[in-house]
Amino acid sequence: SSNYVVYTYAAIAVERILYLTNENREAVISKDDVTPLSKDLLQHLFVLITKDSAPEKIQENEFIMRCVMRVLIVIREGVIPITDIVLQNFINITKVIRHNPSNPRFYYYHFEGLGALIRFAAPSQPKKFETALYNPFGEILSNDVQEFAP
């Protein structure tokens, strides 16, 4: 749906469903069920996030970014085949939100999602991650973006 309320509630529902576990602490929806759908799901979520290119608009919906984070946590190493797509989207979002970080919950989930991507995909291709992430994070540190400083 192109309706903001509908896709926000859909993102919340997907994120919560992926978080559910049974009494044995096993995921109700398994990694194997989500992985084949993850490329399309993540691409669609990133399109919704970047629908408007203004920094405050990109950061407006933390629920979608939380859903992105949850999908990455669930699929784990299943992200490796789509690493380039996901990494480029995270970098593009980072480059935009660094100019005006206005929603702490959004960038919390943004960096948690990026951390999940690094955790599960970087061990198989560390140079790609070092090269891709050096410039955006170097600019954040050199521009002294206080919201992102360690």
Side-chain angles (χ1 to χ4, degrees), residues 67-79:
C67 187
V68 168
M69 175 201 72
R70 184 69 57 206
V71 170
L72 293 172
I73 290 170
V74 167
I75 65 173
R76 303 178 69 84
E77 289 82 9
V79 75

Side-chain angles (χ1 to χ4, degrees), residues 116-131:
L117 178 66
I118 292 168
R119 176 179 177 202
F120 300 122
S124 66
Q125 39 200 333
K127 276 292 186 204
K128 175 187 286 190
F129 278 83
E130 288 174 21
T131 304

Side-chain angles (χ1 to χ4, degrees), residues 13-65:
V14 169
E15 190 275 329
R16 291 288 76 199
I17 289 168
L18 292 177
Y19 183 75
L20 290 176
T21 58
N22 62 19
E23 59 277 349
N24 296 329
R25 300 193 64 133
E26 298 164 343
V28 172
I29 298 179
S30 73
K31 170 187 172 183
D32 297 333
D33 294 332
V34 179
T35 302
L37 308 169
S38 62
K39 179 181 179 185
D40 292 334
L41 177 58
L42 288 168
Q43 282 180 318
H44 186 66
L45 292 169
F46 282 123
V47 165
L48 292 173
I49 291 169
T50 58
K51 209 157 84 166
D52 190 334
S53 61
E56 59 278 356
K57 286 297 193 181
I58 284 182
Q59 301 173 71
E60 183 175 68
N61 198 327
E62 71 262 14
F63 303 106
I64 298 174
M65 187 52 76

Side-chain angles (χ1 to χ4, degrees), residues 90 110-120:
F90 273 123
H110 170 77
F111 288 116
E112 285 290 324
L114 184 58
L117 178 66
I118 292 168
R119 176 179 177 202
F120 300 122

Side-chain angles (χ1 to χ4, degrees), residues 95-150:
K95 287 179 178 179
V96 173
I97 66 173
R98 72 171 183 225
H99 296 295
N100 183 16
S102 58
N103 184 347
R105 287 187 299 252
F106 180 89
Y107 53 80
Y108 171 80
Y109 294 124
H110 170 77
F111 288 116
E112 285 290 324
L114 184 58
L117 178 66
I118 292 168
R119 176 179 177 202
F120 300 122
S124 66
Q125 39 200 333
K127 276 292 186 204
K128 175 187 286 190
F129 278 83
E130 288 174 21
T131 304
L133 294 174
Y134 183 80
N135 284 335
F137 285 103
E139 289 177 24
I140 287 171
L141 294 172
S142 67
N143 292 333
D144 196 28
V145 180
Q146 289 301 310
E147 291 83 357
F148 299 160

